[in-house]
C-alpha cells in the first residue's frame, strides 16, 4: 500500500460498476466521498457501502480447492503455494496433451484492475482463445467506432446542445456522474431525444421521447440518415473531404423512408422527420454511448448508423472527438505483447471464420494505418479486440469441435451468468478438465470450478489504469486499506503461474509496483511519484486523424468489406424465426439495470439487498389482466429457450405486449452447487432465456441479441 500524508486524501476509482467514478477517503474517516462535491450524488450507495462489501463474512479470503466433483463440489481451503503449484501443473499437462489453444479465458479487466496481463500470459503460452463480457457492452461499440473513424469518439458534454439517448436511463444510482452532466446540459438549454419503448425517469426529462418497438433502432437510424440525405441537411464539406462511401450510403438509405421505418418502429413518419432535422440542424449534437446498441440483432448496423450520423452532420471532432490512441506509459496493448503469438496459433482462434471483425483477422487490418501515422500497431482498443467468438468458444468447450478446449479461467467475471445461453455455458464448464475462478464470492461460476482464488478489491489495491487504452490518460488509484485475509492481486497470480510454467522471462517484474515502474518509464516517472495525483494526461497521437485504411471516416467500411461482411448498415427483422405467437404472446428484453446491484454482483450486501430483495418482471396492466397476474405474484417467464421465475410488477410505463426481465439475479444466501440450481442462477438469470444460436446473433460480430424480438409467455406460479 502506498504511504500518504497523515490527514491527507487517498484517491481511487470505484469499479463497483463501470461508471468509473472518482472517489476519495480522508485518512482518518471511513467514508468514500466524491471529490467533486460531497453534497452531490456523484457516487452511488454501492460505493458508500464499500466497507460492508470489503468485510463481508461470505467473502472468499483464502484459496479453495474442490475435492468433490464438478456437480457435487466439496470445498477445502488450501495455501496459495499449493493452489498455484497444482493449477500450473494441470494447465501445463492440458497444453501438453491438447495444445495451448485448449486454454481459454473469460475476463473483465475493469473488475480486476489489470489490462493486458492475462493476454500476455496467453500470448506467450500460445492461446488465442480469450473472450470478455465487455464485448456485450461498450467493447462492441468500440470495435465499430474503430471501423468507422479508426478510433473511439467521446462526446463533448460541456458544449452539447442536443443529446440523443438510446435507452439510457441515468440517475443517482445509475451512472450518477453522467446523470449530473445530463442535468447540467438540460439546465443550460440543451434538448434531449430519448429513444426508449419504456417511460423511464430519463425519458420524462426528454423533449422528444420516441417509444420505439424493441429491437428496431436500426430502422429508425436508417430513416434519419435517409431524411438527412434526401433533404440535403448533411455537412457537404465534411462529407466531401473527410469521408468515403457517401454515394453507396445514400443508395442504401433510400430503401428506408420514414414511412417504411414507421411501420417497423411504431413511431410516426412525421416524428421521424422532425427529429432527424433537429439532429442535423443542431450545433453540437452528441449520441453518448449506451448499451442498447450493443445487444441487438442489428447491433453492428445500429452502432454504424450512429457513427455515420455524427460524420454526416459534421459533429466529428466538433462535439464528438476522436480521442486516441496515445503515447506515454506502456499501454495495456503493448503489455499484452501480441507479437509473441504465432500466426499459426492466431489462425486457430475459435469463431474467427464466421465472425472475423472481433478476431485477429479484423484487428490486423488496422496495422497499416497505425504504422503510417508513426505508431506501433495497436491491436486492441478496449480489452476485447482480437478475441475468440464467445458462443463458438462455449460450443467448442462442450463438443471439442473444431478442437478440444479443456482448461478455462474466469477472471473477475461470473461467466455462467454473463452471456446468452446459460445452460450451454454450464455444460461447457462441466466438460472442462480444469476450471479456475478468480473472484470475491462463491458465484454460480465459482461453484463449478476446481479452484477458486480470492481476489483483492479496488479499495484494497494500488492500481495503474485505465485498464482499457481507449482515452489518452493514465490514472493512479491508491488503496484505501489492506486486502482482506489472503486476497491477492491478479498480477501476483499471473506472475506465480508464469514462473512455474517457464515464462519467467516474459514476466520480469516481481510485483505490480515493478510492473507500474516499467509502464511509467517512457514518461520518466515511477509509481511513487506518479501516484500522488489521480491522473496524468497522455499525448494523443494524431488527435482527430482517422486511422482507418482510407484515412477518412468510412461511411462504407473497407474493414467490414475486406472481412466479407456488409460494409453498409442494414436492417434485419429481429423477430424470432417461426415463433409461435399464440404460445408466446409477448416480446421480452433484458435490461433496466438494478439500482442496488451491478450486473451479477452485490446481491449479498444487506443494505443494498433490502432495497431490491427479489428479481422482478415488469408488465403492462393490460397484459397483467389478460394473463391473470396480480402485483406481487410469483410468475414463470418462458421463452422457447428456457424459463425463469420472477416477481410480477405491474407497470404502466412498460409498453403493452412487452416484458422486462432483469439481468444478473442469483441469491448468494441459498444453497450452492448445480444440483441446487447454482444459488438461484438457474432460477432467475436472464441468460436462461436467450439463445446463442446464429439466428439470435448479430451477423457481423456474432454477439447475442438480449434486447428485442424474443417471444415469451408469463404465467402465475400456482
Ligand atoms: N445475459 C447477460 N449477459 C450480460 C449482460 C446482460 O445484460 N445479460 N450485460 C453485459 C454487460 S453490459 C456487461 S458490462 C458485462 C459485465 O460483465 P462483468 O463485469 O464480468 O460482470 P459479472 O458477470 O457480474 O461478473 C463480475 C464478477 O467479478 C467479480 N468481481 C468484482 N470485482 C472484482 C475484483 O475486484 N476482483 C475480482 N477478482 N473479482 C471481482 C464479481 O464478484 C462478479 O462475480 O456483462 C455482459 N453480459
Ligand atoms: N446501478 C447499476 N448501474 C449500472 C449497472 C448496474 O447493473 N446497476 N450496469 C452498468 C452497465 S454494465 C451498463 S452497460 C449500463 C446500462 O445502462 P443502460 O444503458 O441505461 O441500460 P439498461 O438499464 O439496461 O436500460 C435499458 C433501457 O433500454 C430500453 N431498451 C431495451 N431494449 C431496447 C431497444 O431495443 N431499443 C431501445 N431504444 N431501447 C431499448 C429499456 O426499455 C430500458 O429502459 O448501466 C451501468 N450502470
Ligand atoms: S456509479 Fe456507483 S458503483 Fe458505479 S462507479 Fe460510480 S460510485 Fe461506483
Ligand atoms: Mo455494461
Amino acid at each position: 500500500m502506498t504511504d500518504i500524508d497523515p490527514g491527507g486524501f487517498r484517491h481511487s476509482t470505484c469499479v463497483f460498476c463501470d461508471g468509473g467514478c472518482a472517489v476519495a477517503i480522508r485518512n482518518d474517516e471511513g467514508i468514500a466521498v466524491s471529490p467533486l462535491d460531497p453534497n452531490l450524488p456523484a457516487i452511488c450507495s454501492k460505493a458508500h457501502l464499500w466497507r460492508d462489501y470489503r468485510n463481508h463474512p461470505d467473502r472468499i479470503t483464502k484459496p479453495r480447492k474442490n475435492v468433490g466433483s464438478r456437480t457435487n463440489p466439496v470445498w477445502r481451503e488450501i495455501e496459495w503455494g499449493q493452489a498455484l503449484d497444482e493449477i500450473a501443473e494441470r494447465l501445463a499437462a492440458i497444453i501438453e496433451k491438447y495444445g495451448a489453444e485448449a486454454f481459454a479465458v473469460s475476463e473483465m479487466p475493469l473488475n480486476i484492475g489489470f489490462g493486458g496481463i492475462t493476454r500476455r500470459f496467453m500470448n506467450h503460452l500460445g492461446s488465442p482463445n480469450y473472450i470478455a463480457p465487455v464485448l456485450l457492452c461498450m467493447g462492441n461499440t468500440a470495435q465499430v467506432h474503430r471501423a468507422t473513424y479508426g478510433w473511439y469518439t467521446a462526446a463533448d458534454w460541456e458544449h452539447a446542445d442536443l443529446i440523443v439517448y438510446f435507452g439510457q436511463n441515468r440517475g443517482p444510482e445509475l451512472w450518477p456522474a453522467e446523470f449530473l452532466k445530463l442535468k447540467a446540459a438540460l439546465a443550460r438549454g440543451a434538448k434531449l431525444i430519448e429513444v426508449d419503448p419504456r417511460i423511464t425517469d430519463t425519458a420524462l426529462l426528454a423533449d422528444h421521447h420516441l417509444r420505439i418497438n424493441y429491437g428496431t433502432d436500426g430502422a429508425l437510424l436508417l430513416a434519419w440518415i435517409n431524411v438527412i440525405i434526401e433533404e440535403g441537411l448533411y455537412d457537404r464539406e465534411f462529407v466531401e473531404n473527410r469521408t468515403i462511401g457517401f454515394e453507396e450510403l445514400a443508395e442504401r438509405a433510400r430503401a428506408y423512408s420514414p414511412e417504411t421505418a414507421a411501420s417497423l418502429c411504431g413511431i410516426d413518419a412525421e416524428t421521424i422527420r422532425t427529429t432527424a432535422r433537429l439532429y442535423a440542424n443542431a450545433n453540437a449534437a452528441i449520441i453518448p454511448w449506451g448499451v442498447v446498441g450493443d445487444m441487438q440483432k442489428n447491433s453492428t448496423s445500429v452502432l454504424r448508423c450512429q457513427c455515420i450520423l455524427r460524420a454526416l452532420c459534421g459533429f466529428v471532432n466538433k462535439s464528438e472527438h476522436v480521442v486516441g490512441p496515445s503515447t506515454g506509459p506502456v499501454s495495456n496493448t503493448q503489455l499484452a505483447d501480441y507479437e509473441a503469438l504465432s500466426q499459426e496459433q492466431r489462425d486457430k482462434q475459435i469463431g474467427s471464420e464466421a465472425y472475423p471483425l472481433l478476431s485477429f483477422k479484423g484487428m490486423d487490418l488496422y496495422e497499416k494505418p497505425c504504422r503510417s501515422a508513426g505508431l506501433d500497431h495497436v491491436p486492441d482498443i478496449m480489452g476485447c479486440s482480437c478475441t475468440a467468438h464467445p458462443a463458438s468458444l462455449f460450443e467448442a468447450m462442450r463438443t471439442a469441435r473444431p478442437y478440444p478446449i479443456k482448461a478455462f479461467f474466469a477472471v473477475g467475471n461470473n461467466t455462467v451468468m454473463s452471456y446468452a445461453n446459460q445452460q450451454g455455458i454450464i455444460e461447457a464448464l462441466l466438460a472442462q478438465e480444469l476450471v479456475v475462478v478468480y473472484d470475491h464470492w462463491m458465484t454460480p461460476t465459482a461453484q463449478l470450478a476446481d479452484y477458486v482464488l480470492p481476489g483483492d478489491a479496488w479499495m484494497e489495491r494500488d492500481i495503474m489504469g485505465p485498464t482499457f487504452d481507449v482515452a489518452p490518460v493514465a490514472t493512479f488509484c491508491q488503496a484505501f486499506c489492506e486486502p482482506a485475509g489472503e486476497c491477492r492481486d491478479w498480477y501476483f497470480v499471473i506472475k506465480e503461474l508464469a514462473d512455474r510454467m517457464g515464462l519467467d522471462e516474459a514476466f520480469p517484474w516481481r510485483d505490480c509496483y515493478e510492473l507500474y515502474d516499467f509502464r511509467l518509464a517512457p514518461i520518466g516517472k515511477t509509481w511513487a511519484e506518479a501516484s500522488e495525483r489521480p491522473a496524468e494526461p497522455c499525448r494523443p497521437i494524431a488527435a482527430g486523424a482517422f486511422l482507418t485504411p482510407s484515412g477518412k471516416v468510412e461511411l462504407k467500411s473497407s474493414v467490414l468489406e475486406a472481412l466479407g461482411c456488409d460494409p453498409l448498415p442494414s436492417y434485419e427483422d429481429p423477430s424470432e424465426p417461426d415463433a409461435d405467437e399464440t404460445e408466446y404472446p409477448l416480446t421480452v428484453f433484458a435490461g433496466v439495470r438494478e439500482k442496488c446491484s451491478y450486473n451479477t454482483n452485490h446481491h449479498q450486501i444487506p443494505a443494498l439487498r433490502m432495497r431490491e430483495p427479489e428479481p422482478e418482471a415488469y408488465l403492462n396492466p393490460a397484459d397483467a389482466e389478460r394473463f391473470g397476474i396480480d402485483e406481487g405474484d410469483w410468475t414463470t417467464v418462458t421463452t422457447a429457450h428456457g424459463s425463469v421465475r420472477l416477481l410480477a410488477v405491474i407497470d404502466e410505463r412498460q409498453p403493452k405486449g412487452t416484458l422486462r426481465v432483469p439481468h444478473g439475479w442469483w441469491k448468494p444466501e441459498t444453497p450452492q452447487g448445480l444440483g441446487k440450481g447454482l444459488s438461484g442462477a438457474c432460477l432467475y438469470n436472464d441468460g436462461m432465456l436467450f439463445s446463442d444460436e446464429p439466428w439470435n446473433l448479430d451477423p457481423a460480430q456474432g454477439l447475442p441479441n438480449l434486447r428485442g424480438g424474443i417471444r415469451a409467455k408469463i404465467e402465475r406460479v400456482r
Side-chain angles (χ1 to χ4, degrees), residues 82 228 250 278 342 411 487 510 702 711:
Q82 183 190 345
I228 287 165
L278 199 64
S342 69
V411 182
C487 295
R510 271 175 305 177
R711 310 293 308 184

mmCIF file of all heavy atoms in Angstrom, residues 82 228 250 278 342 411 487 510 702 711:
data_model
loop_
_atom_site.group_PDB
_atom_site.id
_atom_site.type_symbol
_atom_site.label_atom_id
_atom_site.label_comp_id
_atom_site.label_asym_id
_atom_site.label_seq_id
_atom_site.Cartn_x
_atom_site.Cartn_y
_atom_site.Cartn_z
ATOM 1 N N GLN A 82 0.185 -24.206 -2.731
ATOM 2 C CA GLN A 82 -0.375 -25.467 -3.236
ATOM 3 C C GLN A 82 -1.308 -25.197 -4.431
ATOM 4 O O GLN A 82 -1.241 -25.896 -5.457
ATOM 5 C CB GLN A 82 -1.149 -26.185 -2.117
ATOM 6 C CG GLN A 82 -1.700 -27.533 -2.565
ATOM 7 C CD GLN A 82 -2.675 -28.153 -1.562
ATOM 8 O OE1 GLN A 82 -2.749 -27.721 -0.403
ATOM 9 N NE2 GLN A 82 -3.408 -29.154 -1.995
ATOM 10 N N ILE A 228 -31.924 12.992 -43.741
ATOM 11 C CA ILE A 228 -30.824 13.962 -43.745
ATOM 12 C C ILE A 228 -30.188 14.062 -45.143
ATOM 13 O O ILE A 228 -29.854 15.153 -45.606
ATOM 14 C CB ILE A 228 -29.806 13.588 -42.636
ATOM 15 C CG1 ILE A 228 -30.428 13.933 -41.272
ATOM 16 C CG2 ILE A 228 -28.471 14.305 -42.825
ATOM 17 C CD1 ILE A 228 -29.723 13.310 -40.074
ATOM 18 N N ALA A 250 -26.001 6.630 -49.541
ATOM 19 C CA ALA A 250 -27.244 7.291 -49.956
ATOM 20 C C ALA A 250 -28.153 6.281 -50.652
ATOM 21 O O ALA A 250 -29.367 6.240 -50.415
ATOM 22 C CB ALA A 250 -26.927 8.473 -50.878
ATOM 23 N N LEU A 278 -33.969 17.946 -36.386
ATOM 24 C CA LEU A 278 -33.445 18.511 -35.124
ATOM 25 C C LEU A 278 -31.978 18.123 -34.954
ATOM 26 O O LEU A 278 -31.133 18.944 -34.604
ATOM 27 C CB LEU A 278 -34.279 17.946 -33.970
ATOM 28 C CG LEU A 278 -34.247 18.674 -32.650
ATOM 29 C CD1 LEU A 278 -34.827 20.070 -32.802
ATOM 30 C CD2 LEU A 278 -35.080 17.898 -31.611
ATOM 31 N N SER A 342 2.120 -16.702 -32.374
ATOM 32 C CA SER A 342 2.464 -17.001 -33.776
ATOM 33 C C SER A 342 1.221 -16.939 -34.666
ATOM 34 O O SER A 342 0.095 -17.090 -34.186
ATOM 35 C CB SER A 342 3.065 -18.400 -33.873
ATOM 36 O OG SER A 342 2.059 -19.359 -33.605
ATOM 37 N N VAL A 411 -11.986 -14.764 -14.888
ATOM 38 C CA VAL A 411 -11.193 -13.788 -14.145
ATOM 39 C C VAL A 411 -12.026 -12.521 -13.929
ATOM 40 O O VAL A 411 -12.305 -11.781 -14.880
ATOM 41 C CB VAL A 411 -9.884 -13.469 -14.904
ATOM 42 C CG1 VAL A 411 -9.020 -12.494 -14.104
ATOM 43 C CG2 VAL A 411 -9.123 -14.747 -15.223
ATOM 44 N N CYS A 487 -6.411 -12.356 0.284
ATOM 45 C CA CYS A 487 -6.761 -11.923 -1.070
ATOM 46 C C CYS A 487 -5.533 -11.311 -1.740
ATOM 47 O O CYS A 487 -4.776 -10.579 -1.106
ATOM 48 C CB CYS A 487 -7.890 -10.898 -1.019
ATOM 49 S SG CYS A 487 -9.415 -11.595 -0.379
ATOM 50 N N ARG A 510 8.768 -8.276 -10.391
ATOM 51 C CA ARG A 510 8.477 -9.122 -9.228
ATOM 52 C C ARG A 510 7.085 -8.882 -8.656
ATOM 53 O O ARG A 510 6.465 -9.783 -8.118
ATOM 54 C CB ARG A 510 9.534 -8.903 -8.141
ATOM 55 C CG ARG A 510 10.731 -9.833 -8.295
ATOM 56 C CD ARG A 510 11.779 -9.498 -7.299
ATOM 57 N NE ARG A 510 12.129 -8.080 -7.433
ATOM 58 C CZ ARG A 510 12.987 -7.430 -6.662
ATOM 59 N NH1 ARG A 510 13.562 -8.057 -5.660
ATOM 60 N NH2 ARG A 510 13.264 -6.161 -6.861
ATOM 61 N N GLY A 702 -21.456 -11.305 -34.196
ATOM 62 C CA GLY A 702 -21.844 -12.562 -33.573
ATOM 63 C C GLY A 702 -22.160 -12.436 -32.098
ATOM 64 O O GLY A 702 -22.040 -13.390 -31.340
ATOM 65 N N ARG A 711 -39.699 -14.012 -28.199
ATOM 66 C CA ARG A 711 -41.065 -14.218 -27.724
ATOM 67 C C ARG A 711 -41.073 -14.901 -26.362
ATOM 68 O O ARG A 711 -40.206 -15.745 -26.082
ATOM 69 C CB ARG A 711 -41.867 -15.087 -28.702
ATOM 70 C CG ARG A 711 -41.817 -14.672 -30.141
ATOM 71 C CD ARG A 711 -42.488 -13.365 -30.451
ATOM 72 N NE ARG A 711 -43.844 -13.231 -29.969
ATOM 73 C CZ ARG A 711 -44.616 -12.182 -30.222
ATOM 74 N NH1 ARG A 711 -44.153 -11.166 -30.929
ATOM 75 N NH2 ARG A 711 -45.841 -12.125 -29.770
#
